[in-house]
Amino acid sequence: MTECAVILAGGQANRMGGGDKGRLMLGDQSLIQRVIDRITPQVDAVVLNANGDPGRFDDLGLPVVSDSIGGFPGPLAGVLAGMDWAAEQGHEWLISVAADTPSFPLDLAERLAEHDTPVVLAATPDPERGRLPQPTFGRWQVALRHDLRAALNEGVRKIRQWTQAQGESLVLFGPDDFFNINTPEDLAWAKDHLK
């Protein structure tokens, strides 16, 4: 069984003023380089999902795939792009990670693989709901790509609307394992707290 990863960097970064959020610097590395360094040892191959000119990522040395569904439909379209690439490469499973989350667990892929459901999502503790899903961090059976494409074409945009229909499992991680950088204030906090 082989698995690869997709780094989801296809968003518009509106709360950060636009541009490639993954290119923001945290210490001496960009957010996206930190993500690459964390996920690469966990999987057999890595692909980047980004829209626009793929040449702007040439320095990263990764293949780049864009959303096949137009209009910036959200992270599910990035997962689909990753699934399509994974299928072309002969991978059975896809791990998804977000380009704006530079300190996710180093054992993410291993822990997600402990469950045998077609979709497994990371979650963090939540005092009210028990588990708070982190839906851009998951393990996806590549064979589901045709169903996901149909759902996106029918207008599904919310990740959990689709994953719950697939019989998702949730894996509980630590409360701060998926701190993501959405605003300038988040980036300032990360510079002071993340190593």
Side-chain angles (χ1 to χ4, degrees):
M1 171 173 17
T2 62
E3 63 187 11
C4 61
V6 61
I7 299 172
L8 301 173
Q12 297 177 298
N14 291 329
R15 289 176 281 180
M16 290 296 285
D20 291 316
K21 190 169 32 168
R23 292 296 194 170
L24 296 171
M25 297 301 290
L26 183 57
D28 61 353
Q29 278 189 313
S30 66
L31 297 179
I32 201 162
Q33 189 61 55
R34 285 173 167 253
V35 170
I36 291 167
D37 290 351
R38 291 182 90 78
I39 196 58
T40 299
Q42 299 186 51
V43 294
D44 299 310
V46 179
V47 65
L48 178 66
N49 165 244
N51 296 302
D53 178 14
R56 71 189 193 276
F57 296 107
D58 284 349
D59 62 303
L60 299 176
L62 295 177
V64 179
V65 294
S66 61
D67 295 349
S68 60
I69 308 288
F72 294 99
L76 271 178
V79 170
L80 176 60
M83 285 177 156
D84 287 340
W85 183 86
E88 291 170 9
Q89 305 300 313
H91 297 286
E92 298 173 48
W93 293 93
L94 177 74
I95 302 292
S96 63
V97 297
D100 63 358
T101 306
S103 61
F104 61 85
L106 295 171
D107 63 349
L108 175 73
E110 177 184 347
R111 293 200 41 214
L112 294 176
E114 292 172 359
H115 295 259
D116 62 358
T117 55
V119 178
V120 184
L121 300 179
T124 53
D126 182 87
E128 294 177 17
R129 293 181 271 183
R131 295 179 178 194
L132 179 64
Q134 302 295 321
T136 56
F137 288 84
R139 184 173 190 257
W140 314 76
Q141 191 172 36
V142 173
L144 294 175
R145 70 188 186 284
H146 302 298
D147 186 81
L148 177 54
R149 186 180 335 279
L152 283 163
N153 284 327
E154 291 168 6
V156 171
R157 297 297 181 257
K158 299 214 178 274
I159 294 175
R160 300 227 33 241
Q161 180 182 353
W162 186 75
T163 61
Q164 287 176 323
Q166 307 306 313
E168 71 178 14
S169 294
L170 298 177
V171 177
L172 191 61
F173 288 86
D176 300 318
D177 284 346
F178 299 97
F179 178 78
N180 65 321
I181 296 173
N182 286 317
T183 65
E185 293 78 19
D186 292 340
L187 182 59
W189 184 92
K191 286 179 178 178
D192 290 338
H193 295 90
L194 298 180
K195 297 186 188 260

